[in-house]
Amino acid sequence: MAATPVWSVDPRTGKRREQVAVEATAEEVGRIVAAAHAARAALADRATRAAFLRTAADLLGGAEGPLVEAADAETALGQARLGGELARTRFQLRAFADVVDEGAYLGVVIDHPDANTTPPTPDLRRYRVPLGVVAVYGASNFPFAFSVPGGDTASALAAGCPVVVKAHPDHPATSELVASVLRRAAAEHGIPGEVVGLVHGFDAGLELIRHPLVAAAGFTGSIRGGRALFDAAAARPVPIPFHGELGSLNPVVVTEAAAAERAEQIGTGLAGSMTLGVGQFCVKPGLVLAPEGADGDRLVKSLTDAVGDFEPGVLLDHRMRDNFVAGVTERAGLPDVSAPVTPGAGGEHTVAAGFLTVPAARLAAAGEHDLLLEECFGPVTVVARYASRQEITAVLARLPGNLTATVQLSAEEAAGEGRGTELLAELTPLAGRVLVNGWPTGVAVAPAQHHGGPYPATTSTSTSVGGTAIERWLRPVVYQSTPEALLPPELHDANPLGLPRRCDGRLEH
């Protein structure tokens, strides 16, 4: 059977640019995974891993010109945006190098024998070890930060796990270029390039999740695709962890007091957030609860003016464009739905931003308007106008899990007066990141960050951004009554590696 070609496509024209590769067969996937598995010992040394990650960041910076040019040709995201994304990716690699150097992620805990406890405590020494080969599924909308060199790859390598990346079909050439940079970085430290594998093709993605040497997986994409892989991971003879980011509506609640205080500012801010990157951010605000009445009208007027100034943009591929046009058309056709700025086709290859309004009462109970509670990928949001505090509660009670939830409060409410505390309590169960008087687009790479949320936002309670993302690719193991000569150095009494640890209940640094 002839190999299936993998083409790089220009989303601005829909035309093929070049053949990049061919889709991997089951046998090829097997060879790449086996090679990654065989190379895992080369990642065992923490200092070498940290140096590898820093070199990868440096080499990506050195190749910025051709990498950004290739990514822009395949995604139409713009060189300024992509340059910033690559800088973020390089920062993230260095941040994980710092995490590796510090060593707290190992979670070292030592309990010496104690005959006075009930039952008596033997000598117990616990830390975390890498799971093995991690399958990474690249995202369409972030060709760097959530794809081949992104957070899943960086955190897995930091944990000591080789990766095999299933390249996203929207940027195969970029994926190949980045993988080659990571392999060059590995070679500089004597690490086999096989610790970063790359495959193309839908069937290859399925073969990857089913391979017995794959120990865990990370995914960023659609609910449909992510759920299929999640189910496949669970159906294996030996199920594996699947850390998937699937979809998010990212609700925003605007209080009456906030609208009265700064309706125009909120409308303008919302327009910027929902159209950022042509609405292709996973944390785009897709549902906004705004009050009825004059202050809510001012907000809608401000939003109308700002969104109306948005020039038609190109989505990542024509399939997404067609889905967007069909999705907003179906939503706009529902009873009591209006379109102050009509979203849809902007041209043969572009889309026009817009937003829809609907009475919040239409969303408070199950019915045909449930479609408005589903994510629509692209530059559109739904503004639900509420008449009472009870309607806010009723709509929030119907929402699925989200990556983010935002509340816009007045200055008085933000100071603890009014119902700000109540709203925060209602939003907290819905999302992994709760914002006050901000906008969710933009995910800082920081130790305290959490990028995840209740299903379907993610399939686990972990984060894919920030230092604790490394924990997804580790498992704890405890050694009992083991002679020190047999223990790994991380668990020696003298702490020769200078690791943060808890010893006999006391935290040591």
Side-chain angles (χ1 to χ4, degrees):
M1 186 173 63
T4 303
V6 174
W7 294 93
S8 173
V9 176
D10 183 349
R12 295 179 174 96
T13 64
K15 295 181 179 179
R16 292 173 172 174
R17 297 176 58 246
E18 60 177 331
Q19 182 179 339
V20 172
V22 295
E23 294 186 0
T25 64
E27 292 75 16
E28 289 165 339
V29 171
R31 286 197 296 272
I32 291 170
V33 172
H37 179 75
R40 69 194 187 284
L43 294 172
D45 181 72
R46 286 194 303 125
T48 301
R49 292 206 307 275
F52 165 33
L53 293 171
R54 292 190 176 100
T55 299
D58 292 342
L59 293 182
L60 286 171
E64 178 176 357
L67 289 178
V68 168
E69 183 180 355
D72 182 49
E74 293 187 305
T75 67
L77 289 173
Q79 296 200 11
R81 145 72 199 274
L82 290 165
E85 184 186 330
L86 184 59
R88 176 193 190 278
T89 302
R90 295 172 62 208
F91 177 83
Q92 184 165 246
L93 286 162
R94 293 193 181 99
F96 277 115
D98 292 342
V99 168
V100 174
D101 280 341
E102 181 193 62
Y105 75 95
L106 291 167
V108 176
V109 182
I110 296 175
D111 289 322
H112 290 101
D114 188 347
N116 295 318
T117 61
T118 305
T121 302
D123 187 274
L124 298 171
R125 297 164 189 254
R126 167 181 162 139
Y127 79 145
R128 297 186 179 113
V129 298
L131 290 175
V133 178
V134 172
V136 173
Y137 293 81
S140 62
N141 54 344
F142 284 91
F144 299 126
F146 285 87
S147 292
V148 175
D152 288 347
T153 294
S155 58
L157 292 172
C161 297
V163 298
V164 177
V165 183
K166 190 275 180 186
H168 197 281
D170 280 351
H171 38 79
T174 306
S175 298
E176 288 284 349
L177 288 172
V178 171
S180 68
V181 171
L182 296 183
R183 290 172 187 141
R184 280 198 289 121
E188 288 197 15
H189 298 280
I191 298 172
E194 287 79 6
V195 296
V196 179
L198 184 68
V199 299
H200 298 268
F202 178 83
D203 290 340
L206 292 175
E207 293 293 339
L208 185 59
I209 199 69
R210 295 167 179 158
H211 196 284
L213 292 179
V214 168
F219 171 90
T220 303
S222 68
I223 292 178
R224 181 180 178 184
R227 185 56 196 251
L229 291 171
F230 177 63
D231 291 345
R236 290 166 40 125
V238 178
I240 59 172
F242 182 87
H243 302 283
E245 179 192 322
L246 310 189
S248 185
L249 196 59
N250 305 302
V252 178
V253 177
V254 181
T255 67
E256 292 177 287
E261 185 177 271
R262 50 193 174 86
E264 289 78 13
Q265 179 184 342
I266 293 171
T268 301
L270 173 59
S273 186
M274 60 158 282
T275 59
L276 188 65
V278 202
Q280 297 174 110
F281 277 55
C282 53
V283 287
K284 179 201 74 177
L287 175 70
V288 182
L289 285 157
E292 293 182 352
D295 294 326
D297 291 344
R298 287 168 46 221
L299 188 159
V300 171
K301 173 65 165 57
S302 173
L303 179 62
T304 299
D305 293 343
V307 173
D309 291 336
F310 179 82
E311 293 293 328
V314 177
L315 294 187
L316 292 160
D317 61 44
H318 280 59
R319 176 186 58 82
M320 291 182 187
R321 178 191 174 277
D322 293 344
N323 287 342
F324 174 78
V325 172
V328 295
T329 299
E330 185 177 6
R331 287 164 171 80
L334 294 170
D336 291 333
V337 172
S338 300
V341 180
T342 303
E348 184 181 0
H349 306 293
T350 60
V351 296
F355 71 99
L356 308 175
T357 63
V358 65
R362 282 287 197 175
L363 305 178
E368 59 185 334
H369 288 77
D370 287 358
L371 181 62
L372 300 176
L373 302 181
E374 297 178 10
E375 180 184 15
C376 186
F377 194 73
V380 65
T381 195
V382 174
V383 179
R385 306 290 298 274
Y386 64 84
S388 66
R389 178 70 175 78
Q390 290 72 27
E391 286 188 358
I392 296 176
T393 298
V395 174
L396 293 180
R398 301 201 60 240
L399 297 187
N402 293 270
L403 294 170
T404 72
T406 301
V407 60
Q408 298 288 339
L409 302 175
S410 68
E412 186 177 82
E413 290 170 327
E417 302 295 331
R419 293 177 171 170
T421 303
E422 292 178 18
L423 278 171
L424 220 60
E426 283 189 67
L427 293 175
T428 297
L430 294 178
R433 179 161 58 107
V434 180
L435 297 88
V436 176
N437 291 349
W439 298 104
T441 37
V443 183
V445 178
Q449 185 60 270
H450 185 85
H451 188 62
Y455 185 85
T458 51
T459 59
S460 71
T461 59
S462 302
T463 179
S464 61
V465 179
T468 55
I470 194 174
E471 296 172 3
R472 297 175 295 169
W473 320 120
L474 301 160
R475 68 175 182 87
V477 61
V478 63
Y479 293 94
Q480 179 172 330
S481 303
T482 304
E484 185 164 274
L486 303 180
L487 288 170
E490 290 86 352
L491 300 179
H492 287 192
D493 274 334
N495 196 10
L497 303 179
L499 295 171
R501 65 183 189 176
R502 186 171 293 278
C503 188
D504 295 329
R506 297 185 302 275
L507 190 62
E508 300 178 352
H509 297 278

